[in-house]
Amino acid sequence: MSPATNALGLDDVVAAETVLSHVDGEAGRLIIRGHDLQELAGRVSYEAVAGLLWVGFAEENGETAVRLGLGRARVAAFGTALALLPQASGLTPVEGLRLMLAALPDASNIPAHLLVTAAVPVFAAAIVRRKQGLDPVPPDAALGQAADFLRMVRGKPAPAAHVRALDTYMVTVIDHGLNASTFAARVVAATRAGMVSSVVAGLCALKGPLHGGAPGPVLDMFDAIGTEGAAGAWLADALDRGERLMGFGHRVYKVRDPRADVLKTVASSLKGVGNRVRLAEGIEAAALDLLATRKQAKPLQTNVEFYTALVLEALELPREAFTAVFAAGRVAGWAAHVMEQERTGRLIRPQSRYIGPLPQRAA
Ligand code: ACO
């Protein structure tokens, strides 16, 4: 790829300074506010990590305060879900989520970072229920985000192992440097358009299959391949057709995405998915072999979305809702970046190089 093309993807451009997270693509390391991901995922709650990200930007940053604040905000957001469910029918879950988030007010008596973070799981759960022909379940303000999301989807409390798995997933994806959706959110925040508009922008960027839209297609790929033995031929055909293998490759990581290992462990811990984990390992090995021989210009490794697909499937969440579930994890990170950008950043306004025709000069 030429340097000019590289520049258009802004590969090595530093567009923000942040205290929030750092992706070390050479070492395969993700640092979140001074902690390696592995110190946090599965060890502390989503509320604790959201609070960690919000330190210095929001008053509520202790685990208990965040939990209470998010509980109250989920209850407040439920009214918007009820009001907009009819308009969301006929839309995909992520489209419905976009509609509902956009309807949140810029100003309310709930701090905006709490409102958006609480609203995403409430909206996503209501949309999933309605798609199944079921009434939405109101939030329980006493629960954590992961437990309440699963309860609102299922209509009954989820087993502790499922809550732990979803909480670990949400921590694993909570923040990830200046990824495309976070950058989009920061660009909007830099204009002072506010939290809701910035988070809507983040969601719109997340929706694409090259970013947060990948895990559903990863499962489609597992289904199409069917058995480990069929993986090599199926994947080779896909590459022959010029397709990208979903769940592989990353702009920053030159080695395996550390989040893939965290989520593989989570998937393996869930009952009933043993065969799917073995199938995934077989597909992963075949894909990495093929990518190493056919795409030598750039090291292509497994990314977070590959094992996300298995975790969310094991949690019995519908695959068309996977991107909305991703947003339920990432939203606290977007909110932190929006607050940081508002506090420390300038208007983001790069230049373009004009390559169109010049006006004809009058003779
Ligand atoms: N399968 C096959 N080929 C790939 C893949 C892939 N998954 N990823 C990149 N390539 C190829 C490209 O086609 C290109 O080959 P070429 O030079 O022969 O045309 C070469 O590798 C370089 O790719 P880039 O376009 O430079 O990769 P970029 O950094 O722009 O893309 C991305 C990163 C979008 C993640 C890409 O790897 C991809 O499309 N992966 C599949 C989708 C996916 O898994 N997305 C989730 C990413 S994680 C996240 O966002 C949360």
Side-chain angles (χ1 to χ4, degrees):
M1 193 179 284
S2 73
T5 317
N6 252 346
L8 295 182
L10 306 181
D11 293 33
D12 301 314
V13 174
V14 173
E17 288 191 334
T18 184
V19 297
L20 299 172
S21 64
H22 173 61
V23 181
D24 182 339
E26 304 290 337
R29 187 174 185 198
L30 168 59
I31 296 170
I32 297 177
R33 210 97 203 239
H35 300 269
D36 275 307
L37 170 67
Q38 293 82 349
E39 290 172 52
L40 302 174
R43 293 168 190 262
V44 290
S45 70
Y46 182 74
E47 285 73 14
V49 183
L52 182 67
L53 288 172
W54 295 343
V55 169
F57 304 112
E59 273 174 34
E60 313 76 9
N61 50 50
E63 181 177 9
T64 307
V66 170
R67 192 181 160 103
L68 287 173
L70 287 175
R72 276 197 292 270
R74 284 199 304 278
V75 173
F78 189 60
T80 304
L82 287 182
L84 287 174
L85 267 181
Q87 284 91 319
S89 74
L91 300 179
T92 65
V94 75
E95 289 167 346
L97 178 59
R98 186 180 60 191
L99 172 86
M100 291 183 186
L101 270 180
L104 289 175
D106 278 336
S108 79
N109 56 0
I110 297 173
H113 64 289
L114 290 176
L115 184 60
V116 292
T117 304
V120 174
V122 171
F123 295 165
I127 291 166
V128 168
R129 294 279 293 178
R130 183 49 57 90
K131 292 240 164 255
Q132 293 166 347
L134 300 166
D135 287 334
V137 173
D140 177 347
L143 296 177
Q145 294 271 101
D148 205 20
F149 174 67
L150 288 176
R151 190 192 61 85
M152 288 186 285
V153 168
R154 297 178 182 184
K156 60 179 185 199
H162 285 196
V163 173
R164 224 175 12 256
L166 184 65
D167 194 82
T168 305
Y169 165 74
M170 289 167 65
V171 167
T172 302
V173 300
I174 196 168
D175 201 39
H176 201 240
L178 204 59
N179 60 87
S181 56
T182 300
F183 182 48
R186 286 190 79 126
V187 168
V188 175
T191 72
R192 305 286 184 261
M195 180 65 76
V196 171
S197 302
S198 306
V199 164
V200 170
L203 179 73
C204 291
L206 187 77
K207 168 177 181 288
L210 299 192
H211 189 13
V218 167
L219 269 196
D220 296 339
M221 175 175 78
F222 287 1
D223 289 348
I225 293 174
T227 61
E228 268 180 79
W234 191 97
L235 294 165
D237 283 350
L239 289 175
D240 288 344
R241 290 192 298 273
E243 291 173 13
R244 290 184 176 211
L245 305 182
M246 292 290 128
F248 295 92
H250 197 274
R251 175 60 64 81
V252 181
Y253 289 119
K254 309 290 180 261
V255 296
R256 191 179 166 86
D257 183 335
R259 299 170 299 173
D261 284 328
V262 172
L263 295 180
K264 183 177 176 184
T265 306
V266 174
S268 308
S269 76
L270 291 165
K271 285 204 180 101
V273 284
N275 291 338
R276 290 290 258 186
V277 173
R278 270 191 297 283
L279 173 66
E281 285 171 340
I283 293 173
E284 184 182 13
L288 292 177
D289 267 359
L290 282 164
L291 290 170
T293 47
R294 299 219 189 166
K295 300 279 174 183
Q296 291 177 355
K298 187 171 175 175
L300 295 173
Q301 295 287 334
T302 315
N303 67 43
V304 64
E305 304 291 44
F306 192 76
Y307 285 102
T308 287
L310 277 192
V311 171
L312 299 187
E313 181 185 48
L315 293 175
E316 298 155 26
L317 294 165
R319 71 183 70 176
E320 62 163 1
F322 284 2
T323 307
V325 181
F326 189 164
R330 179 58 58 85
V331 62
W334 290 334
H337 279 270
V338 170
M339 292 188 284
E340 185 180 50
Q341 182 69 36
E342 286 174 344
R343 185 159 304 187
T344 63
R346 294 178 66 219
L347 178 74
I348 298 171
R349 203 310 187 181
Q351 298 276 359
S352 51
R353 187 162 27 95
Y354 180 64
I355 55 168
L358 293 172
Q360 298 290 329
R361 275 183 189 266

